[in-house]
């Protein structure tokens, strides 16, 4: 049997605080290598991402991360069939670093440039372990910057149904962690504490916002602050479990409504908060009980990574939704734009 000729697609992710690269073989939809330079220690003292520090760190890290990824895949840049990169949404300065590198690389090897929507790419992370996975589905993106409900009809055809009006759920976990004088990022440390706590011990509101598809977590955050400042005694394990549960109940309430309304029996949950084991248990249990399916990328591909960008790039390449960079320099005035 003749083996398929590999089609190497590189993915560059610099939308927030991870400088991340991945390489996928689009002929088999298989991941060849990935590398991540995390900026968590840089932002930890501020309990959130500082945009200016993030873009500088991307500049400092991107070339080494690229080299590492090529080395791991035993590949030279000239062998690439396409260069995908996160076009947005994200922090402008950070995105520009990824875009500049992607454009230079694509141009220098005469390969197509593939701009990627970061939100959609999070869901394409499912394809890393399940190459045949396809829309339609309802996507729930839960991270430090996003809490979005998205209708994904086809790859490349997404519609945002609802999103947070204030804090993203990951951001609420990060700020809650700060209130408890714990560490950044908050999600993993809250998850660890919550494992030993009782989620019913402290009653927090569930911000369901009836009649709206949007989310709002700032009231829940304030209610946690008042509870902490009230002087009433509590165990950190119990408050962590109760706070986390209020967020997950709210996410489930909205996702379930979207599944019913759009008559789609399939939900994909991605983003940093989707690496939480309790969240996965809440959704997996509900899906089994109510007769729908839930999918997640592997935990290590739930947070920002280059593999998901390369995977989305491979999907676009296979759908022929790519183009080569035009060369626009010209001697006549008419060819220049102002
Ligand atoms: O997707 P991500 O790496 O970056 C963006 O924000 O785009 O998500 C980071 C967020 C942070 O708010 C962090 O606290 C949260 O994901 N997170 C978690 C867990 N790991 C990371 N939240 C809950 N449980 C976790 N295990
Ligand atoms: Zn993300």
């Amino acid at each position: 049997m003749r083996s398929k000729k590999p089609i190497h697609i590189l993915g560059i992710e610099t939308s927030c605080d991870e400088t991340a690269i991945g390489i996928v073989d689009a002929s088999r939809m298989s991941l060849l290598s990935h590398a991540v330079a995390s900026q968590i220690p840089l932002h930890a003292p501020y309990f959130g991402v500082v945009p200016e520090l993030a873009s500088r760190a991307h500049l400092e890290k991107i070339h080494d991360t690229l080299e590492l990824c090529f080395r791991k895949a035993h590949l030279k840049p000239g062998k690439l069939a396409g260069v995908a990169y996160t076009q947005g949404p994200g922090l402008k300065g950070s995105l520009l670093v990824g875009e500049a590198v992607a454009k230079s690389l694509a141009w220098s090897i005469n390969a197509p440039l593939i701009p990627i929507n970061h939100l959609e790419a999070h869901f394409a992370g499912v394809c890393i372990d399940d190459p045949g996975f396809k829309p339609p589905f309802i996507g729930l993106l839960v991270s430090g910057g996003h809490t979005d409900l998205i209708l994904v009809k086809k790859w490349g055809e997404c519609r945002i149904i609802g999103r947070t009006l204030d804090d993203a759920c990951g951001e609420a976990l990060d700020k809650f962690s700060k209130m408890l004088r714990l560490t950044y990022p908050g999600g993993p440390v809250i998850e660890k504490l919550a494992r030993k706590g009782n989620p019913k011990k402290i009653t927090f509101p569930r911000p369901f916002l009836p009649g709206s598809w949007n989310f709002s977590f700032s009231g829940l955050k304030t209610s946690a602050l008042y509870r902490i400042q009230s002087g009433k005694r509590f165990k950190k394990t119990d408050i962590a479990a109760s706070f986390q549960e209020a967020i997950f109940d709210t996410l489930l309430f909205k996702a379930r409504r979207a599944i019913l309304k759009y008559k789609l029996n399939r939900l994909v949950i991605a983003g940093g908060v989707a690496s939480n084991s309790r969240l996965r248990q809440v959704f997996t249990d509900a899906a089994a009980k109510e007769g729908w399916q839930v999918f997640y990328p592997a935990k290590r591909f739930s947070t920002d990574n280059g593999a998901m960008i390369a995977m989305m790039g491979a999907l676009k390449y296979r759908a022929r939704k790519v183009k080569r960079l035009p060369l626009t320099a010209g001697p006549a005035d008419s060819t220049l734009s102002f």
Side-chain angles (χ1 to χ4, degrees):
M1 201 171 76
R2 274 181 48 206
S3 60
K4 283 190 201 160
K5 196 167 170 279
I7 303 168
H8 299 118
I9 306 290
L10 181 96
I12 300 179
E13 158 58 31
T14 62
S15 68
C16 190
D17 59 345
E18 325 277 3
T19 314
I21 314 285
I23 300 175
V24 159
D25 174 1
S27 74
R28 295 179 182 77
M29 293 300 280
S30 62
L31 179 66
L32 300 182
S33 73
H34 75 106
V36 184
S38 172
Q39 299 179 8
I40 287 179
L42 182 67
H43 302 289
Y46 309 96
F47 266 84
V49 178
V50 183
E52 176 61 21
L53 295 181
S55 44
R56 280 175 195 226
H58 284 307
L59 263 181
E60 284 164 12
K61 295 281 165 57
I62 195 158
H63 290 105
D64 287 351
T65 316
L66 255 178
E67 252 180 62
L68 177 61
C69 198
F70 277 120
R71 228 179 1 221
K72 282 186 174 178
H74 305 289
L75 208 70
K76 294 260 185 285
K79 295 281 178 203
L80 293 177
V83 180
Y85 73 99
T86 300
Q87 188 181 34
L91 302 171
K92 179 118 186 176
S94 295
L95 288 166
L96 280 173
V97 175
E99 183 172 79
V101 171
K103 280 189 170 169
S104 320
L105 182 58
W107 182 81
S108 68
I109 58 174
N110 193 27
L113 180 74
I114 316 173
I116 299 293
N117 179 321
H118 180 86
L119 310 183
E120 188 179 24
H122 264 295
F123 303 130
V126 173
C127 300
I128 299 171
D129 287 310
D130 184 359
F133 182 79
K134 282 193 190 85
F137 56 82
I138 300 287
L140 176 63
L141 184 58
V142 283
S143 71
H146 290 273
T147 306
D148 297 332
L149 254 184
I150 303 176
L151 172 63
V152 183
K153 288 191 187 162
K154 291 183 189 157
W155 293 124
E157 211 181 305
C158 305
R159 182 155 69 80
I160 294 179
I161 308 170
R163 55 183 8 175
T164 184
L165 300 172
D166 39 58
D167 288 359
C169 59
E171 192 182 355
L173 285 164
D174 294 338
K175 290 179 179 164
F176 175 65
S177 175
K178 188 177 181 191
M179 290 175 205
L180 290 176
R181 298 181 202 286
L182 300 169
T183 47
Y184 173 86
V189 61
I190 301 298
E191 171 174 14
K192 205 164 155 209
L193 277 174
R195 270 190 220 129
K196 296 198 185 108
N198 175 358
K200 297 208 167 91
K201 190 78 187 176
I202 298 166
T203 312
F204 282 121
R206 268 58 176 160
F208 289 152
L209 307 191
S212 161
W213 288 104
N214 292 327
F215 300 89
S216 166
F217 293 106
S218 67
L220 172 61
K221 202 181 59 186
T222 309
S223 131
L225 181 67
Y226 288 164
R227 183 65 181 75
I228 292 166
Q229 290 176 340
S230 70
K232 284 191 211 158
R233 290 171 69 83
F234 60 81
K235 283 197 206 152
K236 278 192 179 172
T237 49
D238 288 337
I239 198 167
S242 305
F243 186 81
Q244 196 187 249
E245 206 72 1
I247 291 184
F248 300 161
D249 275 355
T250 308
L251 295 173
L252 176 61
F253 175 84
K254 295 275 176 184
R256 179 193 279 133
R257 277 187 52 209
I259 287 168
L260 289 174
K261 153 112 181 139
Y262 292 95
K263 299 192 174 44
L264 281 174
N265 259 3
R266 306 162 84 225
L267 177 72
V268 176
I269 316 180
V273 181
S275 56
N276 186 293
S277 301
R278 176 64 191 154
L279 174 142
R280 290 184 179 218
Q281 189 189 356
V282 166
F283 277 83
T284 304
D285 289 353
K289 213 158 108 195
E290 297 164 21
W292 40 274
Q293 286 180 293
V294 57
F295 304 84
Y296 317 88
K299 285 191 182 180
R300 69 185 194 289
F301 296 122
S302 290
T303 47
D304 287 347
N305 64 86
M308 69 186 195
I309 305 300
M311 198 43 91
M312 194 65 232
L315 288 163
K316 278 188 144 185
Y317 187 93
R318 286 166 66 109
R320 303 191 199 287
K321 288 189 182 156
V322 295
K323 55 176 188 256
R324 273 167 217 281
L325 266 183
L327 291 181
T328 54
D333 280 359
S334 58
T335 61
L336 305 177
S337 49
F338 291 94

